[in-house]
Amino acid sequence: MAASRTGSVLIVTESDDLHGTAMAATLREHHGLSPIQLDLRDFPRESGSFRLDRFGTARSLSHLIGIDDVRSVWWRRPHPTRVPVGVRASDDAYRQAECDGFIQGLLWSIPANWVNDPGADRTATRKIVQLQTAQRAGFVIPETLITNDPDEARSFVESRSGAVVYKRTGTGRAEFAETRIITRGDFGKLAGIRSAPTTFQDYVQAECDLRVVWVDGVEWTVRIDSQAGVGRVDSRLDTTVDFTRANLPASVSKSLATLMGALGLSFGVLDLRLGVDGEYYFLEVNPQGQFAYLEIKTGLPIFRSLGNLLVDGDGAVPGY
């Protein structure tokens, strides 16, 4: 990887991440700043060091300049380091742990503004944590069961008066898996959840879906006309429908602020569903969710907002 010019912002993500590339362009255009971009998979192919003495601390990565000058970090898409495979699996596991521990410690010890704090980011990705926290924050949550017990899953589905959806519980970057309504024909496949705990949830009849990008108190809300296309169950399946700017009711905004504060997140992308009953249902929050397509569809200055947060500590955009 080519060396980057010294900057006050570090973007930790995949080298081919569209969002990372777009944010770098935004920072150059609006702040005259070239950020440092780091893919953790470059280590240990590239060397790194941490030194502590009576004068203080010093960090270095051989392919980057300015790590010690970083004042703000976008913890966007971190990966495990890429350690060469050896002969013994136990040796591989040891080296992996040592490399991951080193690079994480090197970065996490930087006294910077983190978006998001890595510990809070990791905790908030746990669906059980975010669902319970959202309920405490005042959100309406569809009745939910998360389990790896096939019998309990079937009992839950059969006990509901309406349709039930099922979806992934984890947040790993596996192949895309859509949210679907479970049918009796799916009962024979329930044995598969034994090794893959699955989320079962009351299906909410929707008026529309909402995707909200939270930038430290600034809400960028997009109304997705999901019921007009093939994404009636899962709005991600159809981006040809209308995407329009929207605003949340004050009570929902209050719950959102409470939720994000409780999770310790300064940034996140939330999925809400406006039911035909008029309720705003919380579905999930992704601490580092996708949002570029929302800006493309609506013109909302989301990248600029996040760039302002990274540079100035404030996600507000004048004129919006």
Side-chain angles (χ1 to χ4, degrees):
M1 179 185 293
S4 302
R5 284 201 302 115
T6 300
S8 62
V9 175
L10 170 64
I11 301 173
V12 180
T13 192
E14 304 151 342
S15 57
D16 59 352
D17 176 31
L18 166 66
H19 286 71
T21 300
M23 178 54 66
T26 299
L27 292 173
R28 286 192 292 269
E29 177 182 355
H30 293 284
H31 296 279
L33 185 154
S34 291
I36 300 170
Q37 295 176 263
L38 172 61
D39 187 331
L40 298 187
R41 295 171 296 186
D42 288 338
F43 191 82
R45 178 174 55 83
E46 301 285 357
S47 60
S49 299
F50 173 81
R51 182 166 181 168
L52 183 149
D53 56 29
R54 67 182 184 277
F55 301 108
T57 60
R59 302 164 187 82
S60 65
L61 289 169
S62 61
H63 60 313
L64 299 176
I65 299 172
I67 289 293
D68 267 334
D69 296 325
V70 166
R71 294 296 174 265
S72 188
V73 182
W74 187 20
W75 191 244
R76 160 70 183 161
R77 285 287 177 96
H79 280 269
T81 56
R82 183 174 288 163
V83 180
V85 175
V87 176
R88 297 173 54 189
S90 59
D91 291 342
D92 293 343
Y94 167 77
R95 287 193 295 269
Q96 187 72 58
E98 291 295 289
C99 286
D100 288 343
F102 167 78
I103 199 70
Q104 291 168 6
L106 180 78
L107 298 176
W108 295 354
S109 64
I110 296 174
N113 172 34
W114 286 81
V115 181
N116 293 298
D117 174 84
D121 197 279
R122 182 177 183 181
T123 300
T125 61
R126 304 307 185 228
K127 298 294 178 65
I128 293 173
V129 172
Q130 57 181 248
L131 285 171
Q132 185 170 358
T133 307
Q135 187 178 58
R136 290 174 175 171
F139 275 110
V140 178
I141 313 292
E143 191 153 333
T144 302
L145 171 70
I146 303 175
T147 186
N148 74 329
D149 184 331
D151 293 334
E152 187 165 357
R154 179 168 179 164
S155 177
F156 176 80
V157 174
E158 292 179 332
S159 71
R160 311 309 299 160
S161 59
V164 172
V165 298
Y166 66 99
K167 53 189 176 181
R168 290 176 57 198
T169 298
T171 57
R173 298 181 193 117
E175 184 177 348
F176 174 81
E178 67 181 271
T179 299
R180 296 181 177 180
I181 292 177
I182 191 168
T183 67
R184 288 192 173 274
D186 295 318
F187 285 175
K189 305 174 187 176
L190 285 175
I193 74 171
R194 181 65 70 185
S195 55
T198 299
T199 299
F200 299 88
Q201 197 169 60
D202 281 347
Y203 174 63
V204 177
Q205 296 285 347
E207 178 181 320
C208 67
D209 283 273
L210 298 151
R211 198 159 172 88
V212 185
V213 183
W214 168 271
V215 186
D216 201 28
V218 179
E219 298 170 7
W220 303 104
T221 304
V222 176
R223 182 187 190 277
I224 303 171
D225 192 16
S226 55
Q227 304 310 292
V230 298
R232 290 183 292 276
V233 177
D234 188 334
S235 66
R236 298 171 299 173
L237 297 177
D238 192 348
T239 58
T240 67
V241 297
D242 287 339
F243 284 62
T244 55
R245 303 179 186 187
N247 293 297
L248 298 174
S251 59
V252 179
S253 291
K254 181 179 179 180
S255 293
L256 175 54
T258 301
L259 168 66
M260 299 301 277
L263 291 175
L265 299 178
S266 56
F267 177 82
V269 181
L270 300 97
D271 289 316
L272 309 179
R273 172 159 279 207
L274 175 57
V276 294
D277 57 2
E279 291 281 9
Y280 285 78
Y281 291 86
F282 172 88
L283 300 181
E284 67 175 303
V285 55
N286 188 330
Q288 295 295 348
Q290 307 289 74
F291 61 89
Y293 72 106
L294 301 177
E295 180 160 328
I296 293 169
K297 290 280 190 179
T298 65
L300 287 171
I302 303 172
F303 277 102
R304 188 174 176 187
S305 177
L306 179 54
N308 289 351
L309 176 63
L310 290 167
V311 176
D312 301 323
D314 186 346
V317 178
Y320 286 87

